[in-house]
Amino acid sequence: MRIAELFFSVQGEGLLLGVPSAFVRTTGCPLRCVWCDSPYTSWQPEGETISIEAILDRLAVYPTKYVVVTGGEPLVAAGIEELCQSLRQAGYHITIETAAIVYSPVACDLASLSPKLSNSTPHHREGGRYALKHDQQRLRPDVIRAFMSQGDYQLKFVVEHESDIGEILALLDQLPPVRSDRVLLMPQGITSDALRDRGPWIAEWCKRHGFRFCPRLHIELFGNRRGT
Ligand code: SF4
């Protein structure tokens, strides 16, 4: 498989926040979010080809049975089904972090679904040449519904503007009833300052709607660095 990085850290986002976890980051993503925090998997994908057996060998040295399969967009990575099946057979708790634009019934214990709002559209990057395609692909309620029916999930939204709440509520209207504490609102930002600027008004939305506030712990602990 084409892998951008393999590392051991603490989960920085979501319901398993703070849990020591191994990360398998695939490379390649059909989207081009303007603020993508791993452009080495989307705008300029890089990585090395590693067999699934070698991935498992490298994970085995980490003292955890929690693994996060992330990207890029892991659901478009060749071999993702086999990887997840092998992780399950090896006894891992598997979180898959996906933008939920492609469905596959992969082995998974927590589907971390992160549908992208219009704040992600790259209107002003590379002359906006990816903007239209991005907008056509970024929201797939049918894919989200499929993951929701498969097992445990969280819906994680990257929030940048105060107007984003309307898009979130409109998408939730297209889904089966979602437990409000499974809806996570996470500030957009790759610096502690940016996260602190947006955090307070996002927290107010969480109080109003019963949603869960989602920090970016790895940014707070380590900054925006690879391998964390
Ligand atoms: S979906 Fe994720 S990996 Fe793909 S461009 Fe957006 S933030 Fe980056």
Side-chain angles (χ1 to χ4, degrees), residues 3-213:
I3 301 296
E5 54 182 353
L6 276 163
F7 58 94
F8 179 48
S9 187
V10 291
Q11 172 58 286
E13 302 172 356
L15 296 172
L16 292 174
L17 183 86
V19 174
S21 304
F23 290 76
V24 180
R25 188 185 297 285
T26 64
T27 197
C29 178
L31 298 183
R32 299 283 190 286
C33 297
V34 66
W35 37 250
C36 181
D37 62 356
S38 58
Y40 52 96
T41 69
S42 57
W43 289 88
Q44 293 98 26
E46 8 176 304
E48 57 176 324
T49 301
I50 313 178
S51 70
I52 290 173
E53 190 181 20
I55 292 172
L56 264 80
D57 283 349
R58 284 170 63 170
L59 293 179
V61 304
Y62 302 137
T64 183
K65 276 298 186 185
Y66 284 84
V67 66
V68 181
V69 180
T70 188
E73 175 47 70
L75 268 298
V76 302
I80 189 65
E81 291 87 359
E82 295 85 349
L83 172 66
C84 292
Q85 196 53 42
S86 299
L87 291 169
R88 173 152 288 172
Q89 282 165 1
Y92 283 98
H93 176 286
I94 306 165
T95 299
I96 296 194
E97 295 185 333
T98 173
I101 54 174
V102 178
Y103 178 72
S104 172
V106 290
C108 172
D109 298 289
L110 175 64
S112 182
L113 311 172
S114 185
K116 296 298 181 279
L117 306 176
S118 62
N119 65 38
S120 65
T121 304
H123 293 294
H124 305 296
R125 192 160 168 177
E126 295 197 10
R129 65 194 177 108
Y130 290 111
L132 179 61
K133 192 165 168 231
H134 180 94
D135 263 343
Q136 288 169 338
Q137 294 187 97
R138 67 181 169 78
L139 275 188
R140 288 286 303 272
D142 56 324
V143 172
I144 300 170
R145 285 192 287 267
F147 276 113
M148 288 173 65
S149 68
Q150 179 184 317
D152 203 6
Y153 67 88
Q154 62 188 14
L155 270 173
K156 187 176 68 183
F157 293 97
V158 180
V159 177
E160 184 168 47
H161 309 298
E162 302 207 24
S163 55
D164 291 347
I165 190 69
E167 290 180 44
I168 294 169
L169 297 176
L171 177 61
L172 293 176
D173 275 347
Q174 299 178 59
L175 303 176
V178 179
R179 269 177 48 186
S180 59
D181 64 354
R182 293 278 156 159
V183 178
L184 283 61
L185 304 189
M186 184 174 77
Q188 197 284 106
I190 54 173
T191 65
S192 295
D193 284 349
L195 298 176
R196 259 195 302 275
D197 280 351
R198 296 190 170 107
W201 54 264
I202 293 173
E204 288 303 318
W205 286 358
C206 291
K207 287 159 62 181
R208 196 172 313 149
H209 296 280
F211 299 154
R212 188 186 294 250
F213 184 85

